[in-house]
Amino acid sequence: MTKQVAYFPGCALEGSAREYDVSTRRVFAALGVELLEVPDWVCCGASSTHGRGQEVALALPAHALRAASQMGLPLMSPCAMCYSRFKLASLELAHPEARARTEAALGQDIGELPSVLHPLQVLDEIAPQATVPLDIKVASYYGCLLVRPPAAGFDDQENPTIMDRIVAGWGAQPVSWAFKTECCGAGMALARPDMVARLSRRVLEQARQAGAEVVVVACPMCQANLDLYTGEKDTPVLYITQLIGLALGLSPRELMLGRHLINPLPLLRAKGLVNHG
Amino acid sequence: MDMNGGPRIVGFLCNWCSYAGADMAGTSRMSYPPNIRIIRVPCSGRVDPLLVVKSFQQGADGVLVAGCHPGDCHYTEGNYYARRRFALLRPLLDFVGIEQERLRLEWVSASEGRKFSRAVASFQEELERLGPRGHRG
Amino acid sequence: MQSVIPTSGFRVEVERESGEVISRCYQCGKCTAGCPAAFAMDGGPRWLLRAVQLGMRSEALDSTTIWMCLFCSACHARCPAGIDIPRVLETVRHISLKERRPPASKEVALFHRIFLGQVAGLGRVHELGLGGTYNLRSGHPLANIGLVPRMLARRKLPLLPYRKKVRWFKRLLSEEKKSGD
Amino acid sequence: MVKVGVFLCHCGRNISEVVDVPRVAEAVRHLPGVTYVDENKYMCSEPGQAAIRQAITEHGLTRVVVASCSPRMHEITFRRAAAQAGLNPYLVEMANLREHCSWVHADDHEAATLKAIELVKKAVARISYNEPLTPQPIPMTRRALVIGGGIAGIQAALDIAAAGHQVTLVERESTIGGRMAQLDKTFPTLDCSSCILTPKMVEVAQNPNIELLTYSEVESVSGFVGSFEVQIRKRATLVDHVKCTGCGICWEKCPEKVPSEFDLARGKRSSIYIPFPQAVPVKPVVDQVHCRYIKYQEFEASGAEGKKPPQCRICEKLCPPQALAWDQEDEAVTEKFGAIVVATGYDPFDPTVYGEFGYGQYPDVITGLELERLLSASGPTEGHVLRPSDGTPPKTVVFLSCIGSRDEERGKAYCSQICCMYMAKHAIVLKEHDPEVQSYIFYIDNRAVGKGYEEFSRRAQEDAGAVYLRGRVAKVFPQDGKLVVMGEDSLIGRQVEIAADMVVLAAAVVPSRGADEVARMLNISYDSDHFLVEAHPKLRPVETHTDGVFLAGACVSPCDVPQSVSRGSAAAAKTLALLSKETLVGEPTTAVVDALRCSGCQLCLEVCPFNAISTQVVAGRTVASVNEGLCKGCGLCSAVCRPAAIGVKGSTHKQLLAEVASLWT
């Protein structure tokens, strides 16, 4: 039984976060979920449309929602930012006025609004099929956009558990910690790298104090900020799809584990999660 | 029908909330159209359809039933009965040629003098819009 | 210290555009208390809501608070009055942009402008180009420069962008800009 | 033939300034039945009333219409005047010429005068259908029930007993004392809570007028003021409290220790236990969930295989008077009461809804009530405040106000009233316990509105050195063995981070579990927060809309000890006003059934909110029958009665139809 979703990788997954794209495609293929990439997709606008009025903010997500609608599939993006923009836009576009204005701006009908998914929601529904035991302590880092704003989030705002549940299902040991949903600095990396460094360091420090050997994330911004703006000796930060990939027996090369600045391979080798490469 | 002095309204007001609310409108000198006649009843749930029909027969252009807010009924649930009863009665009024807008149900608490006076004024406006009874356009 | 003469016009303006009822805020401060960006702000979210309540229009429009917001929504999730505070900040930012006021954070404003320009011109964001353009135009040519060779070595920064103009979005951006006049 | 007298009031100039009163008099003089018309400047004055009395006597009036102010103002006045002249008071009607006429139509004298004439006509039309009514006497059972044995219930019971009346105090727990018994000290005097409460508890136990039923719950209530029938379930204690001397050997020797509810699970108790040393009665109960012998019996009864639990029965072996009663069962008793006081109290709000504070996750985040137990000399740490995590004394303690209060999104909209003061108290008491303690109090508005409260709050700051920070905390998280508290001082406009040893949450006050069930049994209302609703928030603060049921303590709204005591005494005073009478005078405006017209459809039974209607067989036909003691005269029955067989005296079909028929004629 193959499940299909309209797949929207997003700009980061074409660039700095290509390992997230690749590991997501491989893991979902292994789990029998077919990802059909949205053709000619356009950036979701990210946080840059904040403060530019409703029309500008809605137009770009609406473009993606329309594409998924035409495919007749739910729209899934591994990027928490894209997911959040789509989810919020689909809620706002339920209002006829906002919809009419946005359709006028797009010059096209949006059609029936598709449901909006994040890979975590899909993974939560799939029974784990681990072949390699993940004997490793994991801090699940959710960041902001998977749980907030309340209308778009899909788990508890202060202590979400969906990712902990998933990693535990695949055999890893989630640690309980207090910074699961503290912000990493989001899209401020260029304009205010000082903010990103300060916030990201604190997140990683909390994960370390809680006993985590590795931090898993489900957002390219979170990964980039924690990975790039801390120290190369810090706790490694993996995408959840990379961790699940390891449990499925995929190789570090297949999961592009060599692309992180905080090199996870020594740890993964020591833990016996990686035999080669 | 004679519309001198504006449309005629019969107001059935529950003793505990709405009659006291109308008193409050008086105490606070909040004026409203004079052509309303207030009949005090123990509870909005006491107002049976016969009283409404008789009022129209008597020449009323509109009937206002006012009771305590939902949840505040002195008798716990009389206002809910009133609400249900008049929801059923309205379509029947249409059937006998009385526009259903001519029967109005309002919740007015003992402290809501302003609400009462506004309710009477807005009802009167609506009745003026509808025109004399039995002459619907 | 300048005295404040409370007025309601600005509050009404922000309430109308944001759809949030700002008079619900009773200044408990839970928003600022947990705001990850507050250290980089002049007043913080609670202050901004107060400024809007009191009609301190220019102070609000020229504050860094509206630019430093990370839209993490921690404040919104915790607000006992249920106010979507980022929405309010965003609205004040929008008013400030429409009035062509010099942004209190040139860096953040510039970043977003370049970002949206890329979206309109390329269809997708090209990180290397975004960073390069930002560095050139911000007057911080060396910002984040240490990261570039390390990222290039790990092939994290593709050299060539995707290219497909999004004309309708470009038009929308320029219309939105004009609407401020 | 009725003889109606119409009395027109000028109300000074309140009516006559707008309404042409002499013209009204002329217009109504020749209405059918009207035999006398009079005007007076103030009908309600003694000369005005005298005029009514005199006219009744001299002119043989059989009906009186007073056209003056609202009947809600002076109906009683004029009914009394009529009664003095020998006329049945229910033969008086009023026309409301002031609130409903002159005051609201001041800008149109002509319209107001015409309306005034119609209003008098309407009253005259109605009054010919008025009948003399006689209130039914309601017998009074001169005994009261108090539900809830906290300080409010204790006070109410003691006051009723002191007046010489019998009172039964029902308490769900095995001891009375309630929340106050859990407190260490009370603000603003810092009296030791048990020192001032225990004497009252003992007095309850010793007062011959008080029947104390602990470990008991009210199961059902029927009847009405004067004769409530109440079924009470006395739960099995498995200890014969007549034989038991309260020596304490059993609870000392019982080997099965479990978390103590009284100590909010911060300490332990035995499974045969009294909740705390000063408990009243000082008689233990067996906790049937944890007792080893009960588990053994259940194992035997189940016929399960495997290792048997120990029989234990140590308490039974050691009990000098042999008071253990393993066969004891719950007992239901039904008793009759004239009046009921509800004093069901409060529970603390559950702070686990705020994931950001980590209550239940970090052991050193505790509630204010839990801190009371740690401060109490009879508490689990014998008055030494120690961190639950590692048993060390905390030096930096941070208090968070409004946990669940003033939060419409995840808590309650209201202010819990007591928290600001108990935070101040905790800061003072902690400093007394250990001068090295530094307290920080995050508050939003420091509410210190009682006698001596503001001064007390100053003491916390000036003498105990507590640092007050204006702002709500966003998050608490562990770091390096401490709890970091993230807040804002909104007065200076800066974020604040404090590394605390202990964090105390001022959890909101919510109605006690089950208070809403009690309310439903008693047919009294509760609000959206499940606080019980008083008859009038200002003028009838301890009464309810159900006659004979009164409210005391925090079941109405959050309140502190002095207010609980006041409410307890107030409810007792209202109760005593009832119990002082042999019989009550009921309102005669009740429903009445015309058995000949009744079709027996029983629609009236369904709509009656007071279960006042039942059926009876008259001449072989089943017809409705009204219990006048229960009927409140709402008239729901008469509105649904198709054959118009049931009517409410004072609001009959004839009266109301006559009013309608008089309009615009």
Side-chain angles (χ1 to χ4, degrees), chain B residues 3-21:
Chain B
M3 292 281 279
N4 276 347
R8 296 166 166 180
I9 302 172
V10 180
F12 292 100
L13 271 53
C14 89
N15 178 47
W16 302 98
C17 294
S18 305
Y19 193 94

Side-chain angles (χ1 to χ4, degrees), chain D residues 247-381:
Chain D
C247 70
I249 291 176
C250 58
W251 66 77
E252 278 161 26
K253 300 295 181 188
C254 170
E256 186 66 29
K257 307 291 183 199
V258 296
S260 153
E261 297 83 358
F262 184 80
D263 286 333
L264 304 157
R266 296 279 162 200
K268 300 234 163 183
R269 63 158 170 83
S270 315
S271 65
I272 182 166
Y273 70 105
I274 57 169
F276 56 101
Q278 303 91 330
V280 169
V282 201
K283 304 282 169 86
V285 297
V286 174
D287 167 358
Q288 299 199 36
V289 174
H290 294 101
C291 169
R292 290 183 184 179
Y293 179 51
I294 302 287
K295 279 189 192 157
Y296 169 82
Q297 286 178 315
E298 282 167 1
F299 183 84
E300 288 286 277
S302 72
E305 300 288 313
K307 189 172 170 281
K308 287 183 185 178
Q311 275 220 38
C312 189
R313 294 170 89 166
I314 289 171
C315 51
E316 185 182 353
K317 285 169 202 147
L318 296 178
C319 177
Q322 289 297 296
L324 269 295
W326 301 110
D327 300 334
Q328 202 183 68
E329 285 182 358
D330 287 9
E331 186 189 346
V333 293
T334 302
E335 296 193 43
K336 215 168 169 186
F337 302 97
I340 298 175
V341 174
V342 185
T344 45
Y346 79 94
D347 283 337
F349 179 85
D350 176 7
T352 55
V353 303
Y354 296 104
E356 61 264 44
F357 301 136
Y359 178 78
Q361 212 176 340
Y362 316 133
D364 298 332
V365 177
I366 66 173
T367 66
L369 201 57
E370 285 164 9
L371 179 59
E372 295 282 350
R373 295 315 302 144
L374 299 185
L375 286 166
S376 167
S378 62
T381 52

Side-chain angles (χ1 to χ4, degrees), chain D residues 517-585:
Chain D
E517 285 167 47
V518 172
R520 283 195 292 270
M521 275 186 239
L522 291 166
N523 200 10
I524 57 179
S525 37
Y526 50 87
D527 63 22
S528 54
D529 295 312
H530 289 207
F531 282 111
L532 308 185
V533 175
E534 60 275 48
H536 189 281
K538 294 172 194 69
L539 301 179
R540 299 174 69 199
V542 297
E543 290 148 276
T544 67
H545 282 306
T546 299
D547 290 342
V549 177
F550 306 104
L551 306 173
C555 64
V556 184
S557 66
C559 66
D560 58 14
V561 172
Q563 241 183 315
S564 287
V565 172
S566 309
R567 286 178 184 177
S569 285
K574 292 289 167 190
T575 302
L576 290 171
L578 286 179
L579 298 190
S580 65
K581 294 173 185 142
E582 294 273 359
T583 56
L584 294 175
V585 177

Side-chain angles (χ1 to χ4, degrees), chain A residues 47 50 185-186 188 195, chain C residues 35 37-38 41 64-73 75 85-87 89-90 93 108 112:
Chain A
S47 60
H50 286 303
M188 287 289 198
M195 285 173 79
Chain C
C35 176
M41 293 172 168
T64 61
T65 298
I66 58 174
W67 292 101
M68 291 303 150
C69 174
L70 298 164
F71 297 93
C72 77
S73 292
C75 50
I85 299 165
R87 181 99 180 178
L89 266 63
E90 176 189 14
R93 190 197 278 189
V108 176
H112 292 307

